[in-house]
Amino acid sequence: MRYGFIHQGTFTEEQEAALEWLKSTSNDVWTVELSSLQSSGRGPPEDKPGRGPPEDKPGRGPPEDKPGRGPPEDKPGRGPPEDKPGRGPPEDKPGRGPGHPNIRSLDALWWHRDHDINEFSLIHDESVRDELVSYIEDGGGLLLTQHAFEVAHILDIETLPPDTDEADIEGTSYGFSKRDLYTDHPIFEGFDNREFTTKTESRSHHDSSLYWNLNTPQKGEVLAYLAQSGRRASTKKPLVSWYQGDGAVIGIASCVRFTDTTDQAHEGNLKLLLSNSLSYVSEGGENRLPGENRPRGAEGFLELRQRLADNPYRPRYHFAPPANWNNDPCGLVEYEGTYHLFYQHNPHGDFWGNMHWGHAVSDDMIHWEDRPIALSPNPDDPGEFGIFTGCGVNVGDEVLFFYTSVGPESHLKGAEMKQLPSRAAGSDSDLTNVKKYDGNPLMDTPPMGAFSPPYDGSEPSVPFADPGGFRDHHVWQEDNGYWYHMVGSGLQGGVGAAIVFRAKDIRTDDWEFHTTITGDRVGFWECPQLFNFETKSMVHWSLGFFADETVGYNLGSWDASSGDFTIEEQGYVARGEYYAPQAMKTQDGRYVMFGWITPILEFSDGWADTMISLPHTLSEADDGTLRIQPAKEVKNARNDEANSVSRSNTILKRDGGSNEQTPLSDLNHDSVEIDATVESAGATEVTLNVLEHPDGTEITPITYDFEAETLTIDHTSSSAENDRPKADSRPATRSVDVPTNDDGSVNIHVFVDRSIVEVFANGREFVVSRVYPTLGKSNNYSIDADGNVRLRSLNAYQMGSIWDHLDDESPSKASENQGTKPPYGKARGVAESTPTNAFKHRSKHSGRTPQQNNDSDDRSEGEREKDK
């Protein structure tokens, strides 16, 4: 390989050491002075394949002999020099020749710089920039280390510059923590552990670590996080890849130091990382991992999905992000005949943080296609370092999106975060070109203030004193012509609330405070919405996280003009691993809701065990109560070519053993739908067993007690592994009251999707549980009872993959059956196998204690070894 070492002016001691090391690895190393790239005559681009010495390829002459150097950077007012005055480049070794080569003859360029790039650097010269960009686009490779990392932004390879240049902490070792999605990346070849150190400790006054902290790269892919003393710092992002044309760029902003002493093993790690990186970029973009390039299109997203296909807990027919983390569904809207699902998403890791809006589209709310990121935080927008939950509203020929812009305080001061309403609009048919409003934020400060004495419940319109409690937007229009804007918050004294504003013009910057809707539930209301049914109205909200009853509702009467909401009924939309739902009103008048199915396990493949629920409808029953049922579109997920079951008016006898008495025996699959209406014919309880192993080692029973009129899901034996979630992270059993119908029957409608069990009972209760069987044959189903039961109706189906319409090699087909004891997940809350801060990282949701993302993985090396 032929390498070029970029510099300007005199060499620093650090650069000399780096160059000497590079020469020790290759017999063909050249120094490239930036001034030699100024206004150079550019010939036709070279073909990328087979790049070799210049004399071997047509159109390439011998290396140019121009010794011209730009002005040294040690003149007064120009900032720190690259080296001490008078020190030139190291002497050329035999066979390398003097001067500077045509960079088109080089396989890769390396720029290593240990000081800031100042305003006088020749990299700001347009002809220099154009020459480097052209070289990369034609298949050249570029490695940028330490402060040369800033060049990615100067060359417009990256939109945002790094935002943090932090002095190293004395006595702290520094290195990298491989991102789980990229542990197999070629630059990490030879590194067995997730974390590895390249710099023993801070050794001089100018040692520092450069990285993105509040921001994230918009065009590059984060390959590793910073590791400090062997612990992951997941908000600090110093190692990034970019692809420009046919070329590749690797940026390593921190932990690259050649001068001064260091631990020999750590020095070896550094040199291995640099060797791998130079070899990698020399190949251009040919060896990029599937899905690594950004921004991604449909093909890139599908590549990511295929990379995760071997995870036996990834759902077949529930929407999950292509990789990484998701939480709240948001911005739900039906536009020009297409359903749009936006969702809270971290494109740079499998943990909460770096909040963006992911985007997917569907014709039936079941089969989805990924679209590029819809909304990204931009620090140039006032106070925006994250984008939290919001809504989408059809207005004329466009969709307006209302969301929460999150300021830097949220990353630094926790509850004192700055959260302000903002707006964006999309009008293209696919809503892939969403533009933010130039006048954001819509409110400079939340209309909140402290009150004394503390709130005692007598003034329901008094807003919460905490300026951080103002997020998650819902906008709708009432019959009186006003637009209403609801924001999640709370009242003094800890009572949850939704603050409501209104305006005649939805595009106004002057929303008028109207009222506060509250109840008797203690805690902050997140993601509130208000719907108007035929005779009643409903407000729902999410309250707390990783609790069993967190998504509550008030049903009653709402006077839009006065702002009065009278509560007639209270309850829960769902129980279990379900949070932050959002509903949209479809063009046929239904309220269709999606919720966030929350994680319990921690995987090591780049997916956070998060997904979105099946669509379900909310409506007013004939008796004025709330009904919740699966949406009719769910039937589109059925696999019509697979076995199905249909029975009616069948008596299942306690001592029965015939096929007629075991109607689910042929259903064995890890993803099914079972819709059963049963009544007692002598039994006091009936149990539907799902994800059952033939010997009963693993089983998840769903039991209905006819006498107590309760439905119970038992997780005790869902998994044979000791580290699977049990009482540490959720109840061993989960029960809800479900009165029988007037005729004594009960309907149990169950959806099983690998690690998800969703149960709708009598159209009144909705329960979601996560289960993680580890045995390969735990895909059986049966009905059991302590006496005779009558099956009024039973319909069961195997379910297909919702991605099969995109590719025959869909994720669902890569792993038809689970293997034995797959090494994928570690249970949250299990101390010996989970980082101390696992709950903190994973329970992060839009606006939930963001400072937790600064926590490092503080396991000991031994504990981390156990996870491997």
Side-chain angles (χ1 to χ4, degrees), residues 557-577:
S557 60
W558 156 247
D559 187 323
S561 296
S562 67
D564 293 332
F565 190 99
T566 303
I567 300 173
E568 299 175 12
E569 175 189 336
Q570 290 184 302
Y572 295 98
V573 172
R575 291 172 171 84
E577 281 83 61

Side-chain angles (χ1 to χ4, degrees), residues 112-114 144-149 208 210 252-256:
H112 177 62
R113 186 181 173 94
D114 51 327
L144 302 170
T145 55
Q146 288 300 114
H147 284 278
F149 191 82
S208 63
L210 186 69
I252 308 176
S254 302
C255 315
V256 179

